[in-house]
Amino acid sequence: GDVGMVAAIYHVPSGAHEEGAALDVLAKILSSAPSGRLYKALVEPKLAADVGAFAFQLREPGVLITYARVRKDDDLAKARTAMDGAIAGAITTPPTAEEVDRAKTQLLKNIELTLNRSDQVGLELSEWAAMGDWRLLFIHRDRIKKVTAQDVARVAAAYLKPSNATNGTFIPTEKP
């Protein structure tokens, strides 16, 4: 492809872990458009075309993935620096209550929309069943409702450390 990418992947607990809800809120705070911290640091100044962050919720310990897609002619190193800065900023400038509330609202709305679609309910419940129990979906939903800005700051400080990250870069080439 002709789109470059920079990514940082952080080791996190299993999907059933009580910190999973705060990690989901953190990922949403980082990646939401147009208010997310990665979006503001990379997309608005045109260092990247797209950004994202999400926590893979698995039965075993999982990962929180952050990434930026970078246009062919843009500088991957600048995108990496901006991304690292935005992620470090989640620790040095903890999320506000407003950011947390916005993220929680989006996450809870997505759960509600999924539960209102019969074609999606079975798929979603099977994901949670793979983590150990289909009821974890509802436990996770209830945990999201209780997440505070302090919870998000705590998980950011605990998991978004450079020593806990695996970094990757995709450099597009003309030929394979």
Side-chain angles (χ1 to χ4, degrees):
D2 64 355
V3 177
M5 183 176 274
V6 293
I9 302 170
Y10 298 88
H11 303 278
V12 297
S14 69
H17 194 276
E18 62 190 21
E19 291 180 332
L23 287 164
D24 267 358
V25 172
L26 173 60
K28 189 62 78 178
I29 288 168
L30 289 172
S31 66
S32 289
S35 62
R37 292 182 179 206
L38 289 173
Y39 188 91
K40 288 187 173 297
L42 289 133
V43 177
E44 283 184 3
K46 300 191 183 325
L47 296 173
D50 182 37
V51 295
F54 55 93
F56 264 127
Q57 295 167 316
L58 306 168
R59 184 178 188 99
E60 303 299 325
V63 292
L64 186 144
I65 297 174
T66 61
Y67 66 88
R69 290 188 187 111
V70 181
R71 293 172 197 87
K72 181 167 85 173
D73 297 329
D74 290 340
D75 189 334
L76 287 167
K78 284 183 183 177
R80 164 69 65 202
T81 300
M83 187 172 87
D84 290 347
I87 292 168
I91 299 169
T92 59
T93 307
T96 64
E98 180 184 337
E99 287 176 301
V100 171
D101 289 343
R102 187 182 312 118
K104 287 169 50 173
T105 298
Q106 291 173 340
L107 290 165
L108 293 169
K109 179 183 175 187
N110 288 342
I111 292 170
E112 186 66 30
L113 290 172
T114 297
L115 293 175
N116 285 328
R117 291 189 53 193
S118 60
D119 64 325
Q120 293 298 309
V121 172
L123 291 171
E124 187 67 21
L125 289 176
S126 70
E127 291 292 325
W128 293 92
M131 278 186 267
D133 191 324
W134 61 270
R135 294 172 292 191
L136 286 169
L137 167 62
F138 303 102
I139 293 169
H140 186 71
R141 178 195 60 195
D142 294 344
R143 286 175 176 166
I144 289 172
K145 291 176 183 177
K146 296 176 183 176
V147 169
T148 66
Q150 292 79 18
D151 295 330
V152 178
R154 182 177 36 77
V155 297
Y159 299 108
L160 296 183
K161 299 184 274 193
S163 62
N164 189 40
T166 301
N167 292 306
T169 304
F170 173 73
I171 303 167
T173 60
E174 292 294 319
K175 296 180 182 179

